[in-house]
Amino acid sequence: MTVCELMKELEKLPPEMDVVVQSYEEGFDPVTDLKQIGVTKRDDKPWYCGIYEETNTASRPVVLIHSRFNRQETGKA
């Protein structure tokens, strides 16, 4: 999904609606951050890992939508 596609989908929703992401183990946390990172595709990934990994030398910049909520609660910010 691109930023443009995401914006079009979000425009269809009430502006006061909260946005959440999946939490570490189970449940959901509120979105707290947008961060630009570089990623590279992992061809040899285990089935339980995502297809991309973060890298400083990536040729593919992406936007990461995530939550610091769990780390803030546990003091690991």
Coordinates of all heavy atoms in Angstrom, one line a residue:
M1 N 0.9 -1.2 0.0 CA 0.0 0.0 0.0 C 0.9 1.2 0.0 O 1.9 1.3 0.7 CB -0.9 0.0 1.2 CG -1.8 1.2 1.3 SD -3.0 1.1 2.7 CE -4.3 0.1 1.9
T2 N 0.6 2.2 -0.8 CA 1.3 3.4 -0.9 C 0.7 4.5 0.1 O -0.4 4.3 0.5 CB 1.3 4.0 -2.3 OG1 0.0 4.4 -2.6 CG2 1.9 3.0 -3.3
V3 N 1.4 5.6 0.3 CA 0.9 6.7 1.1 C -0.4 7.2 0.5 O -1.4 7.4 1.2 CB 1.9 7.8 1.3 CG1 1.3 9.0 1.9 CG2 3.1 7.3 2.1
C4 N -0.4 7.4 -0.8 CA -1.6 7.8 -1.5 C -2.8 6.9 -1.3 O -3.9 7.4 -1.0 CB -1.3 8.0 -3.0 SG -2.7 8.8 -3.9
E5 N -2.6 5.6 -1.4 CA -3.7 4.6 -1.2 C -4.2 4.6 0.2 O -5.4 4.6 0.5 CB -3.2 3.2 -1.6 CG -2.9 3.0 -3.1 CD -2.2 1.8 -3.4 OE1 -1.4 1.2 -2.5 OE2 -2.3 1.3 -4.6
L6 N -3.2 4.8 1.2 CA -3.6 4.8 2.6 C -4.4 6.1 2.9 O -5.4 6.0 3.6 CB -2.3 4.8 3.5 CG -2.5 4.9 5.0 CD1 -3.4 3.8 5.5 CD2 -1.2 5.0 5.7
M7 N -4.0 7.2 2.3 CA -4.7 8.4 2.5 C -6.2 8.3 2.0 O -7.1 8.8 2.6 CB -4.0 9.6 1.9 CG -2.7 10.0 2.7 SD -1.7 11.2 1.8 CE -2.8 12.5 1.5
K8 N -6.3 7.8 0.8 CA -7.7 7.6 0.2 C -8.6 6.7 1.1 O -9.7 7.0 1.3 CB -7.6 7.0 -1.2 CG -7.1 8.0 -2.2 CD -7.0 7.3 -3.6 CE -6.4 8.3 -4.6 NZ -6.3 7.7 -5.9
E9 N -8.0 5.7 1.7 CA -8.8 4.8 2.6 C -9.1 5.5 3.9 O -10.2 5.4 4.4 CB -8.0 3.5 2.9 CG -7.9 2.6 1.7 CD -9.3 2.1 1.1 OE1 -10.1 1.8 1.9 OE2 -9.4 2.2 -0.1
L10 N -8.2 6.3 4.4 CA -8.4 7.0 5.7 C -9.4 8.1 5.5 O -10.2 8.4 6.4 CB -7.1 7.5 6.2 CG -6.1 6.5 6.8 CD1 -4.8 7.2 7.1 CD2 -6.7 5.7 7.9
E11 N -9.5 8.7 4.3 CA -10.4 9.8 4.1 C -11.9 9.3 4.1 O -12.8 10.1 4.3 CB -10.1 10.4 2.7 CG -8.9 11.3 2.7 CD -8.6 11.9 1.4 OE1 -9.2 11.4 0.4 OE2 -7.8 12.8 1.3
K12 N -12.1 8.0 3.9 CA -13.4 7.4 4.0 C -14.0 7.3 5.4 O -15.1 7.0 5.6 CB -13.5 6.0 3.3 CG -13.1 6.1 1.9 CD -13.0 4.6 1.3 CE -12.5 4.6 -0.1 NZ -12.3 3.2 -0.5
L13 N -13.1 7.4 6.4 CA -13.4 7.2 7.8 C -13.7 8.4 8.6 O -13.2 9.5 8.2 CB -12.3 6.4 8.4 CG -12.0 5.0 7.8 CD1 -10.7 4.4 8.3 CD2 -13.2 4.1 7.9
P14 N -14.4 8.4 9.7 CA -14.6 9.5 10.5 C -13.3 10.0 11.1 O -12.5 9.2 11.5 CB -15.5 9.0 11.7 CG -16.1 7.7 11.2 CD -15.1 7.2 10.2
P15 N -13.0 11.3 11.0 CA -11.7 11.8 11.4 C -11.4 11.6 12.9 O -10.2 11.6 13.3 CB -11.7 13.3 11.1 CG -13.2 13.6 10.9 CD -13.9 12.4 10.5
E16 N -12.4 11.4 13.7 CA -12.1 11.2 15.2 C -11.9 9.7 15.5 O -11.6 9.4 16.7 CB -13.3 11.8 16.0 CG -14.6 11.0 15.8 CD -15.4 11.4 14.6 OE1 -15.1 12.3 13.9 OE2 -16.4 10.7 14.3
M17 N -12.0 8.9 14.6 CA -11.8 7.4 14.8 C -10.3 7.2 15.2 O -9.4 7.6 14.5 CB -12.2 6.6 13.6 CG -12.0 5.1 13.8 SD -12.6 4.2 12.3 CE -14.3 4.2 12.5
D18 N -10.1 6.4 16.2 CA -8.7 6.0 16.6 C -8.2 5.0 15.6 O -8.9 4.2 15.0 CB -8.7 5.3 18.0 CG -9.0 6.4 19.1 OD1 -8.7 7.6 18.9 OD2 -9.5 5.9 20.2
V19 N -6.8 4.9 15.6 CA -6.1 4.0 14.7 C -5.2 3.1 15.7 O -4.6 3.7 16.5 CB -5.2 4.7 13.7 CG1 -4.5 3.7 12.8 CG2 -6.1 5.6 12.8
V20 N -5.3 1.8 15.5 CA -4.5 0.9 16.3 C -3.6 0.0 15.4 O -3.8 -0.1 14.2 CB -5.4 0.0 17.2 CG1 -6.2 0.9 18.1 CG2 -6.3 -0.9 16.4
V21 N -2.6 -0.6 16.1 CA -1.8 -1.6 15.4 C -1.7 -2.8 16.3 O -2.0 -2.7 17.5 CB -0.3 -1.1 15.2 CG1 -0.3 0.0 14.1 CG2 0.3 -0.6 16.5
Q22 N -1.4 -4.0 15.8 CA -1.3 -5.2 16.6 C -0.2 -5.0 17.6 O 0.9 -4.5 17.4 CB -1.0 -6.4 15.7 CG -2.2 -6.7 14.9 CD -2.0 -8.0 14.1 OE1 -0.9 -8.2 13.5 NE2 -3.0 -8.9 14.0
S23 N -0.5 -5.5 18.8 CA 0.5 -5.4 19.9 C 1.5 -6.5 19.8 O 1.4 -7.4 18.9 CB -0.3 -5.5 21.3 OG 0.6 -5.2 22.3
Y24 N 2.4 -6.6 20.7 CA 3.5 -7.6 20.5 C 3.1 -9.0 20.6 O 3.4 -9.8 19.7 CB 4.6 -7.3 21.7 CG 5.7 -8.3 21.6 CD1 6.7 -8.2 20.6 CD2 5.8 -9.3 22.6 CE1 7.7 -9.1 20.6 CE2 6.9 -10.2 22.6 CZ 7.8 -10.1 21.5 OH 8.9 -11.0 21.5
E25 N 2.3 -9.4 21.6 CA 1.8 -10.8 21.7 C 0.4 -10.9 21.2 O 0.1 -11.7 20.4 CB 1.9 -11.2 23.2 CG 3.3 -11.5 23.6 CD 3.9 -12.8 23.1 OE1 3.2 -13.7 22.7 OE2 5.1 -12.9 23.0
E26 N -0.5 -10.1 21.8 CA -1.9 -10.2 21.4 C -2.6 -8.8 21.7 O -2.0 -8.1 22.5 CB -2.7 -11.3 22.1 CG -2.7 -11.3 23.6 CD -3.3 -12.5 24.2 OE1 -2.9 -13.6 24.0 OE2 -4.3 -12.3 24.9
G27 N -3.7 -8.6 21.2 CA -4.4 -7.3 21.4 C -3.9 -6.3 20.5 O -3.2 -6.5 19.5
F28 N -4.2 -5.0 20.8 CA -3.9 -3.9 20.0 C -3.5 -2.7 20.8 O -3.9 -2.6 21.9 CB -5.2 -3.5 19.2 CG -5.7 -4.6 18.3 CD1 -6.7 -5.4 18.9 CD2 -5.2 -4.9 17.1 CE1 -7.2 -6.5 18.1 CE2 -5.7 -5.9 16.3 CZ -6.7 -6.8 16.9
D29 N -2.6 -1.9 20.2 CA -2.1 -0.6 20.9 C -2.4 0.5 19.9 O -2.5 0.4 18.7 CB -0.6 -0.7 21.1 CG -0.2 -1.7 22.2 OD1 -1.0 -1.8 23.2 OD2 0.8 -2.3 22.1
P30 N -2.5 1.8 20.5 CA -2.7 2.9 19.7 C -1.5 3.3 18.9 O -0.4 3.0 19.3 CB -3.0 4.1 20.7 CG -2.4 3.6 22.0 CD -2.4 2.1 22.0
V31 N -1.7 3.8 17.7 CA -0.6 4.3 16.9 C 0.0 5.5 17.5 O -0.7 6.4 18.0 CB -1.0 4.6 15.4 CG1 0.1 5.3 14.7 CG2 -1.4 3.3 14.7
T32 N 1.3 5.5 17.7 CA 2.0 6.7 18.3 C 3.0 7.3 17.4 O 3.4 8.5 17.6 CB 2.7 6.3 19.6 OG1 3.7 5.3 19.3 CG2 1.7 5.8 20.7
D33 N 3.4 6.6 16.4 CA 4.5 7.2 15.6 C 4.4 6.8 14.1 O 3.9 5.7 13.8 CB 5.9 6.6 16.0 CG 6.2 7.1 17.4 OD1 6.4 8.3 17.6 OD2 6.3 6.3 18.3
L34 N 4.9 7.7 13.3 CA 5.2 7.4 11.9 C 6.7 7.6 11.7 O 7.2 8.6 12.2 CB 4.5 8.3 10.9 CG 3.0 8.2 10.9 CD1 2.4 9.3 9.9 CD2 2.5 6.9 10.5
K35 N 7.4 6.7 11.1 CA 8.8 6.8 11.0 C 9.3 6.3 9.6 O 8.8 5.3 9.1 CB 9.5 5.9 12.1 CG 11.0 5.9 12.1 CD 11.5 5.0 13.2 CE 13.0 4.9 13.2 NZ 13.4 3.9 14.2
Q36 N 10.1 7.1 8.9 CA 10.7 6.7 7.7 C 11.9 5.8 8.0 O 12.8 6.2 8.7 CB 11.1 7.8 6.8 CG 10.0 8.4 6.0 CD 10.6 9.3 4.9 OE1 11.2 10.3 5.3 NE2 10.3 9.1 3.7
I37 N 11.9 4.6 7.4 CA 13.1 3.7 7.5 C 13.4 3.1 6.1 O 12.6 3.2 5.2 CB 12.7 2.5 8.5 CG1 11.6 1.7 8.0 CG2 12.5 3.1 9.9 CD1 11.4 0.4 8.8
G38 N 14.5 2.5 6.1 CA 14.9 1.8 4.9 C 14.8 0.3 5.1 O 15.0 -0.2 6.2
V39 N 14.3 -0.4 4.1 CA 14.1 -1.9 4.2 C 14.7 -2.6 3.0 O 14.9 -2.0 1.9 CB 12.7 -2.3 4.3 CG1 12.1 -1.7 5.6 CG2 11.8 -1.9 3.1
T40 N 15.0 -3.8 3.2 CA 15.4 -4.7 2.1 C 14.7 -6.0 2.3 O 14.3 -6.4 3.4 CB 17.0 -4.9 2.2 OG1 17.4 -5.6 1.0 CG2 17.4 -5.6 3.4
K41 N 14.4 -6.6 1.1 CA 13.6 -7.9 1.2 C 14.5 -9.0 1.6 O 15.7 -9.1 1.3 CB 13.1 -8.2 -0.2 CG 12.1 -9.3 -0.2 CD 11.4 -9.4 -1.6 CE 10.4 -10.6 -1.6 NZ 9.7 -10.8 -2.8
R42 N 13.9 -9.9 2.5 CA 14.6 -11.1 3.0 C 14.1 -12.3 2.2 O 13.0 -12.7 2.3 CB 14.3 -11.3 4.4 CG 14.9 -10.2 5.3 CD 14.5 -10.5 6.7 NE 15.1 -11.8 7.1 CZ 14.9 -12.4 8.3 NH1 14.3 -11.7 9.3 NH2 15.5 -13.5 8.6
D43 N 15.0 -12.9 1.4 CA 14.6 -14.1 0.6 C 14.7 -15.3 1.4 O 14.0 -16.3 1.2 CB 15.5 -14.2 -0.6 CG 15.3 -13.1 -1.6 OD1 14.2 -12.6 -1.8 OD2 16.3 -12.6 -2.2
D44 N 15.5 -15.3 2.5 CA 15.7 -16.6 3.3 C 15.0 -16.5 4.6 O 15.5 -17.0 5.6 CB 17.2 -16.8 3.5 CG 17.9 -15.7 4.2 OD1 17.3 -14.6 4.3 OD2 19.0 -15.8 4.7
K45 N 13.9 -15.8 4.7 CA 13.3 -15.5 6.0 C 12.5 -16.8 6.5 O 12.0 -17.5 5.7 CB 12.3 -14.4 5.9 CG 11.0 -14.7 5.0 CD 10.0 -13.6 5.1 CE 8.7 -14.1 4.5 NZ 8.0 -15.1 5.3
P46 N 12.5 -16.9 7.8 CA 11.6 -18.0 8.4 C 10.1 -17.6 8.2 O 9.8 -16.4 8.0 CB 11.9 -17.9 9.9 CG 13.3 -17.2 10.0 CD 13.3 -16.3 8.8
W47 N 9.3 -18.5 8.2 CA 7.8 -18.3 7.9 C 7.2 -17.3 8.8 O 6.3 -16.6 8.5 CB 7.0 -19.6 7.9 CG 7.0 -20.2 9.3 CD1 7.8 -21.1 9.8 CD2 6.0 -20.0 10.3 NE1 7.5 -21.5 11.1 CE2 6.3 -20.8 11.4 CE3 4.9 -19.1 10.4 CZ2 5.6 -20.8 12.6 CZ3 4.2 -19.1 11.6 CH2 4.5 -19.9 12.6
Y48 N 7.7 -17.2 10.0 CA 7.1 -16.3 11.1 C 7.7 -14.9 11.1 O 7.2 -14.0 11.9 CB 7.3 -16.9 12.5 CG 8.7 -17.3 12.8 CD1 9.6 -16.3 13.3 CD2 9.2 -18.6 12.6 CE1 10.9 -16.7 13.6 CE2 10.5 -18.9 12.8 CZ 11.3 -17.9 13.4 OH 12.6 -18.3 13.6
C49 N 8.6 -14.6 10.2 CA 9.2 -13.2 10.1 C 8.6 -12.5 8.9 O 8.1 -13.1 7.9 CB 10.7 -13.3 9.9 SG 11.5 -13.9 11.3
G50 N 8.6 -11.2 9.0 CA 8.2 -10.3 7.9 C 9.1 -10.4 6.7 O 10.2 -10.9 6.8
I51 N 8.6 -10.0 5.5 CA 9.4 -10.2 4.3 C 10.5 -9.1 4.1 O 11.4 -9.2 3.3 CB 8.5 -10.2 3.0 CG1 7.8 -8.9 2.8 CG2 7.5 -11.4 3.1 CD1 7.1 -8.8 1.4
Y52 N 10.4 -8.0 5.0 CA 11.4 -7.0 4.9 C 12.1 -6.9 6.2 O 11.6 -7.2 7.3 CB 10.8 -5.6 4.6 CG 10.1 -5.5 3.3 CD1 8.7 -5.4 3.2 CD2 10.8 -5.5 2.1 CE1 8.0 -5.4 2.0 CE2 10.1 -5.5 0.9 CZ 8.8 -5.4 0.9 OH 8.1 -5.3 -0.3
E53 N 13.4 -6.4 6.2 CA 14.1 -6.1 7.4 C 14.7 -4.7 7.2 O 15.0 -4.3 6.1 CB 15.2 -7.2 7.6 CG 16.3 -7.2 6.6 CD 17.3 -8.3 6.9 OE1 17.3 -8.9 8.0 OE2 18.1 -8.6 6.0
E54 N 14.9 -4.1 8.4 CA 15.4 -2.7 8.3 C 16.9 -2.7 8.1 O 17.6 -3.6 8.5 CB 15.1 -2.0 9.7 CG 15.5 -0.5 9.7 CD 15.1 0.2 11.0 OE1 14.5 -0.5 11.9 OE2 15.3 1.4 11.0
T55 N 17.3 -1.7 7.3 CA 18.7 -1.6 6.9 C 19.1 -0.2 6.7 O 18.2 0.6 6.3 CB 19.1 -2.5 5.7 OG1 20.4 -2.3 5.4 CG2 18.2 -2.1 4.5
N56 N 20.3 0.2 6.9 CA 20.7 1.6 6.7 C 21.1 1.8 5.2 O 21.2 2.9 4.8 CB 21.9 1.9 7.6 CG 21.5 2.0 9.0 OD1 20.4 2.3 9.3 ND2 22.5 1.7 9.9
T57 N 21.3 0.7 4.5 CA 21.8 0.8 3.1 C 20.7 0.5 2.1 O 21.0 0.1 1.0 CB 23.0 -0.1 2.9 OG1 22.6 -1.5 3.1 CG2 24.1 0.3 3.7
A58 N 19.4 0.6 2.5 CA 18.3 0.1 1.7 C 18.1 1.1 0.5 O 18.3 2.3 0.6 CB 17.0 0.1 2.5
S59 N 17.7 0.5 -0.6 CA 17.3 1.3 -1.7 C 15.8 1.6 -1.7 O 15.3 2.2 -2.6 CB 17.7 0.7 -3.0 OG 17.1 -0.6 -3.1
R60 N 15.1 1.0 -0.7 CA 13.6 1.2 -0.7 C 13.2 1.8 0.6 O 13.1 1.2 1.7 CB 13.0 -0.2 -0.8 CG 11.5 -0.1 -0.7 CD 10.8 -1.4 -1.0 NE 9.4 -1.2 -1.1 CZ 8.6 -2.1 -1.5 NH1 9.0 -3.2 -2.0 NH2 7.3 -1.8 -1.5
P61 N 12.9 3.1 0.6 CA 12.4 3.8 1.8 C 10.9 3.5 2.0 O 10.2 3.4 1.0 CB 12.7 5.3 1.5 CG 12.7 5.4 0.0 CD 13.2 4.1 -0.5
V62 N 10.5 3.3 3.2 CA 9.1 3.0 3.6 C 8.7 3.9 4.8 O 9.6 4.4 5.5 CB 8.9 1.5 3.8 CG1 9.2 0.7 2.6 CG2 9.7 1.1 5.0
V63 N 7.4 3.9 5.0 CA 6.9 4.6 6.2 C 6.4 3.5 7.2 O 5.6 2.6 6.8 CB 5.7 5.5 5.9 CG1 5.1 6.1 7.2 CG2 6.2 6.6 5.0
L64 N 6.9 3.5 8.4 CA 6.6 2.5 9.4 C 5.5 3.2 10.3 O 5.8 4.2 10.9 CB 7.8 2.1 10.2 CG 7.5 1.2 11.5 CD1 6.9 -0.1 11.1 CD2 8.8 1.1 12.3
I65 N 4.4 2.6 10.4 CA 3.3 3.0 11.3 C 3.4 2.1 12.5 O 3.2 0.9 12.4 CB 1.9 3.0 10.7 CG1 1.9 3.9 9.4 CG2 0.8 3.4 11.7 CD1 0.6 3.7 8.6
H66 N 3.7 2.6 13.7 CA 3.9 1.7 14.8 C 3.4 2.4 16.1 O 3.0 3.5 16.2 CB 5.3 1.2 14.9 CG 6.3 2.3 15.2 ND1 6.9 2.4 16.4 CD2 6.8 3.3 14.5 CE1 7.8 3.4 16.4 NE2 7.7 4.0 15.3
S67 N 3.6 1.7 17.2 CA 3.2 2.1 18.5 C 4.3 1.9 19.5 O 5.0 0.9 19.6 CB 2.0 1.4 19.1 OG 1.6 1.8 20.4
R68 N 4.6 3.0 20.3 CA 5.6 2.9 21.4 C 4.8 2.6 22.7 O 5.4 2.6 23.8 CB 6.3 4.1 21.5 CG 7.3 4.4 20.4 CD 7.9 5.7 20.6 NE 9.1 5.8 19.7 CZ 10.2 6.3 20.1 NH1 10.4 6.8 21.3 NH2 11.2 6.4 19.3
F69 N 3.5 2.4 22.6 CA 2.7 2.3 23.8 C 3.2 1.2 24.8 O 3.3 1.5 26.0 CB 1.2 2.1 23.4 CG 0.3 2.2 24.6 CD1 -0.1 3.4 25.0 CD2 -0.2 1.1 25.2 CE1 -1.0 3.6 26.0 CE2 -1.2 1.2 26.2 CZ -1.5 2.4 26.6
N70 N 3.4 0.0 24.3 CA 3.9 -1.0 25.2 C 5.2 -0.7 25.8 O 5.4 -1.0 27.0 CB 3.9 -2.3 24.4 CG 4.2 -3.6 25.2 OD1 5.1 -3.6 26.0 ND2 3.3 -4.5 25.2
R71 N 6.1 -0.2 25.1 CA 7.5 0.1 25.6 C 7.4 1.2 26.6 O 8.1 1.2 27.6 CB 8.4 0.5 24.5 CG 8.9 -0.8 23.8 CD 9.9 -0.4 22.7 NE 9.1 -0.2 21.5 CZ 9.4 0.5 20.5 NH1 10.6 1.1 20.5 NH2 8.6 0.6 19.5
Q72 N 6.5 2.2 26.4 CA 6.3 3.3 27.4 C 5.7 2.7 28.7 O 6.1 3.1 29.8 CB 5.4 4.4 26.8 CG 6.1 5.2 25.8 CD 5.1 6.2 25.1 OE1 3.9 6.2 25.3 NE2 5.7 7.1 24.4
E73 N 4.8 1.9 28.6 CA 4.1 1.3 29.8 C 5.1 0.5 30.6 O 5.1 0.5 31.8 CB 3.0 0.3 29.4 CG 1.7 1.0 29.1 CD 0.6 -0.1 28.9 OE1 0.9 -1.2 28.6 OE2 -0.5 0.3 29.2
T74 N 6.1 -0.2 30.0 CA 7.0 -1.1 30.7 C 8.3 -0.4 31.0 O 9.2 -1.0 31.5 CB 7.3 -2.4 29.8 OG1 7.8 -2.0 28.6 CG2 6.0 -3.2 29.6
G75 N 8.4 0.9 30.6 CA 9.6 1.6 30.9 C 10.8 1.4 30.0 O 11.9 1.7 30.2
K76 N 10.5 0.8 28.8 CA 11.5 0.4 27.8 C 11.5 1.3 26.6 O 11.7 0.9 25.5 CB 11.4 -1.0 27.4 CG 11.6 -2.0 28.5 CD 11.4 -3.4 28.1 CE 11.5 -4.4 29.2 NZ 11.2 -5.8 28.8
A77 N 11.2 2.6 26.8 CA 11.0 3.5 25.7 C 12.2 3.8 24.9 O 13.3 3.5 25.1 CB 10.5 4.9 26.2

